[in-house]
């Protein structure tokens, strides 16, 4: 039997095991598609050792350890027995969801603000991944096409492509930029569990999700139990958040809002980031008025300051520049604005949002400062990876100037902090350009020319 060249703690995994998991998922998906009203009451029997082995393979191993301090290397030392014990506890109801460890990561807004996340234990991640593998085939048949966040085969760039196409079709129109205040912290446990039972009412699955929702948060030795929310960082959290907003917004928008609009309307949602475009201003005003009421029914709040209605009408052909009736809006890290194409026509263009750009530059500055004493080759390798990653996301057509600005800023910061390593032999621009011939930084590259 052909073996997949991958090791799980020294155990080479048979290709047939992966095929078996994939076949099960395909059957679940087919049944969900054929019976959209069906409630799945028996799912957990699909989850066996082979299923958890695949869940373990898909789980990131290089993250920080949870509250138990167990690393992937330690868990793999006795992987088969650990997975067998995990499976038995999950199905018997004896599994206890450990609290997540609170950590903070930069928001990337250039202001130095941080975002709280939860770090589950490795074993908890594996079990959450296993449950996600059961639920995703079902909900991927239910989710709307306007949802792009944390879904297999969907990305930010696909969402950007839809926004460009739709805004061009309605000549810009009116853009409702919606911000949900502290979304992940305000998901109501009772509501999400009720939503789940409309489609999945397997006792093992619903019991596990209930335990994860109620798992405590450990921070600085203190344990707390939030009454609402889904900890950011949990493997199951993105799927739960999509299920919640699927019921709260997506279905409502398609079945209730759209039929009542006078003009064309579209919505694009990436997790809790939501954008609605309208051809008619009165439609936009009506939805802006009713949206807070809709959210309030599910314990959610529209942020009154960050949610705004933006006029985004295409400028007239004879206009030399957009007027005050043609604003701009930010979404998924890009500022959308009207500009001239090479043929002289007005088109929607995108550039790196200024807050994102400044935040990225400040992040590079901190990295150069903290790592200035590393060997030059190591610094060069890391900076190349960071630049390539930046180009991979922000490298869309029309954004060359911002890409070049980012590379120039990185070059300046690297020279600045290399010069701080020593008082002697400081480089000026001429000598640093000679230095860059031996350690060149990647030049900007458009990675997504069809967006």
């Amino acid at each position: 039997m052909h073996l997949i060249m991958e090791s799980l703690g020294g155990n080479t995994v048979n290709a047939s095991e992966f095929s078996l998991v994939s076949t099960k998922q395909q059957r679940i998906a087919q049944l969900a598609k054929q019976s959209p009203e069906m409630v799945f009451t028996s799912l957990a029997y699909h989850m066996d050792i082979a299923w958890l082995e695949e869940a373990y393979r898909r789980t990131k191993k290089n993250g920080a350890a949870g509250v138990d301090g167990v690393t992937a290397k330690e868990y793999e030392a006795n992987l088969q027995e650990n997975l067998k014990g995990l499976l038995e506890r999950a199905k018997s109801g004896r599994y206890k969801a450990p609290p997540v460890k609170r950590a903070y990561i930069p928001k990337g807004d250039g202001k130095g603000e941080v975002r709280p996340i939860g770090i589950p234990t490795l074993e908890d991640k594996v079990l959450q991944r296993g449950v996600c593998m059961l639920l995703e085939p079902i909900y991927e048949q239910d989710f709307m096409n306007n949802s792009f966040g944390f879904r297999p085969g969907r990305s930010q760039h696909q969402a950007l492509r839809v926004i460009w196409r739709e805004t061009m079709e309605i000549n810009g129109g009116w853009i409702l930029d919606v911000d949900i205040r502290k979304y992940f912290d305000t998901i109501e446990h009772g509501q999400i569990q009720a939503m789940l039972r409309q489609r999945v009412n397997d006792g093992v699955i619903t019991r596990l999700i209930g335990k994860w929702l109620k798992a405590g948060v450990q921070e600085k030795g203190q344990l707390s139990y939030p009454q609402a929310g889904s900890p950011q960082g949990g493997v199951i959290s993105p799927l739960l958040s999509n299920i919640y907003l699927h019921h709260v917004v997506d279905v409502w928008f398609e079945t209730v809002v759209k039929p009542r609009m006078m003009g064309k309307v579209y919505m694009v949602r990436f997790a809790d980031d939501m954008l609605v475009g309208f051809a008619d201003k009165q439609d936009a005003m009506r939805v802006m008025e009713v949206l807070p009421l809709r959210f309030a029914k599910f314990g959610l709040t529209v942020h009154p300051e960050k949610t705004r209605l933006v006029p985004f009408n295409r400028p007239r052909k004879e206009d030399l520049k957009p007027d005050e009736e043609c604003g701009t809006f930010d979404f998924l890290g890009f500022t959308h604005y009207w500009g001239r194409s090479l043929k002289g026509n007005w088109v929607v263009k995108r550039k790196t949002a200024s807050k994102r750009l400044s935040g990225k530059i400040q992040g590079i500055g901190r990295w150069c400062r903290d790592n200035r004493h590393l060997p030059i080759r190591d610094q060069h390798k890391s900076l190349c990876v960071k630049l390539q990653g930046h180009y991979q996301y922000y490298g869309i057509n029309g954004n060359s100037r911002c890409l070049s600005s980012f590379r120039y800023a990185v070059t300046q910061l690297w020279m600045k902090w290399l010069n701080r390593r020593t008082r002697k032999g400081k480089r000026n621009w001429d000598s640093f350009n000679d230095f860059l011939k031996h350690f060149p930084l990647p030049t900007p590259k458009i990675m997504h020319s069809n967006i």
Side-chain angles (χ1 to χ4, degrees), residues 155-436:
S155 68
Q156 292 100 320
H157 294 104
Q158 290 175 328
L160 291 167
R161 190 177 298 117
V162 170
I163 292 171
W164 187 89
R165 184 182 69 242
E166 296 288 353
T167 51
M168 288 292 293
E169 183 175 332
I170 63 175
N171 294 320
W174 294 80
I175 303 296
L176 180 57
D177 185 1
V178 181
D179 185 276
I180 306 175
R181 175 180 279 170
K182 296 182 178 180
Y183 170 62
F184 287 93
D185 296 331
T186 53
I187 295 176
E188 290 192 352
H189 294 170
Q191 294 270 19
I192 184 61
Q193 289 174 303
M195 293 172 183
L196 277 165
R197 286 193 292 271
Q198 293 179 31
R199 197 66 159 123
V200 176
N201 201 16
D202 180 293
V204 172
I205 304 303
T206 56
R207 183 169 60 238
L208 284 172
I209 291 176
K211 290 180 178 181
W212 286 321
L213 290 172
K214 296 175 182 177
V217 176
Q218 182 173 299
E219 182 176 5
K220 297 180 180 179
Q222 299 295 319
L223 191 60
S224 61
Y225 294 91
Q227 298 301 307
S230 179
Q232 296 187 58
V235 176
I236 197 75
S237 292
L239 179 57
L240 293 181
S241 70
N242 268 335
I243 293 172
Y244 204 68
L245 287 181
H246 170 74
H247 286 274
V248 175
V249 179
D250 299 352
V251 174
W252 172 73
F253 182 79
E254 289 293 327
T255 60
V256 178
V257 174
K258 267 190 172 183
R260 289 170 169 79
M261 297 291 97
M262 294 183 290
K264 181 176 174 55
V265 59
Y266 70 92
M267 183 179 76
V268 171
R269 182 175 66 79
F270 193 93
D272 60 327
D273 292 325
M274 194 172 78
L275 193 81
V276 191
F278 303 86
D280 185 88
K281 183 180 180 180
Q282 294 303 315
D283 288 342
M285 297 295 291
R286 290 168 61 196
V287 173
M288 191 174 185
E289 182 179 352
V290 75
L291 195 60
L293 302 177
R294 173 67 182 179
F295 279 6
K297 292 181 179 180
F298 299 90
L300 303 178
T301 305
V302 174
H303 199 296
E305 297 174 0
K306 296 182 179 180
T307 298
R308 64 192 188 110
L309 184 62
V310 181
F312 196 64
N313 299 299
R314 185 200 299 263
R316 295 171 300 178
K317 288 185 177 180
E318 62 271 19
D319 289 345
L320 297 177
K321 61 181 181 178
D323 59 24
E324 60 186 20
E325 289 299 317
C326 180
T328 65
F329 63 92
D330 291 352
F331 194 69
L332 297 179
F334 290 91
T335 295
H336 298 66
Y337 65 100
W338 285 101
R340 294 280 192 180
S341 69
L342 293 177
K343 295 182 179 180
N345 299 319
W346 287 110
V347 295
V348 176
K349 293 191 172 185
R350 283 74 49 88
K351 61 183 179 181
T352 309
S354 58
K355 289 183 179 179
R356 287 288 186 94
L357 185 59
S358 62
K360 294 286 186 179
I361 292 172
Q362 289 180 26
I364 291 289
R366 289 190 293 269
W367 187 91
C368 289
R369 178 197 64 196
D370 296 341
N371 296 276
R372 63 186 183 276
H373 295 300
L374 288 178
I376 296 295
R377 291 188 182 278
D378 292 347
Q379 292 189 46
H380 175 251
K381 182 178 180 179
S382 293
L383 287 174
C384 287
V385 171
K386 293 178 185 296
L387 280 165
Q388 294 286 13
H390 187 85
Y391 301 156
Q392 184 62 44
Y393 184 76
Y394 292 99
I396 68 174
N397 53 308
N399 196 32
S400 297
R401 182 177 296 179
C402 286
L403 297 181
S404 298
S405 297
F406 182 71
R407 183 183 183 275
Y408 179 72
V410 171
T411 304
Q412 282 188 311
L413 288 166
W414 197 22
M415 183 180 75
K416 170 186 173 180
W417 288 107
L418 284 181
N419 281 337
R420 298 284 181 92
R421 298 202 329 170
T422 177
R423 296 180 181 178
K424 298 180 180 180
K426 291 187 176 182
R427 300 179 178 88
N428 56 27
W429 268 113
D430 290 336
S431 62
F432 195 69
N433 282 328
D434 290 336
F435 167 84
L436 289 175

Side-chain angles (χ1 to χ4, degrees), residues 42-63:
S42 182
L43 273 178
Y45 76 93
H46 290 295
M47 191 161 58
D48 52 19
I49 291 298
W51 191 277
L52 286 187
E53 285 178 344
E54 174 64 4
Y56 183 81
R57 188 186 71 84
R58 298 185 187 184
T59 300
K60 292 183 179 180
K61 318 294 193 304
N62 57 355

Side-chain angles (χ1 to χ4, degrees), residues 82-149:
N82 285 333
L83 292 181
K84 287 179 182 178
L86 176 61
L87 183 63
E88 193 280 327
R89 282 179 283 133
K91 291 194 173 183
S92 67
R94 294 191 300 108
Y95 183 79
K96 294 183 179 180
V100 297
K101 184 167 65 175
R102 177 73 79 199
Y104 295 88
I105 59 174
K107 281 188 174 182
D109 55 6
K111 298 180 181 180
E113 296 183 5
V114 294
R115 184 192 310 278
I117 63 168
I119 303 176
T121 64
L122 177 67
E123 188 171 67
D124 209 37
K125 290 179 184 177
V126 173
L127 189 55
Q128 288 189 30
R129 177 63 63 195
V131 172
C132 281
M133 288 161 54
L134 287 171
L135 297 180
E136 274 185 351
I138 298 171
Y139 283 100
E140 278 303 308
Q141 314 311 312
D142 297 352
F143 288 157
M144 303 290 184
N145 287 331
N146 58 20
S147 168
F148 293 89

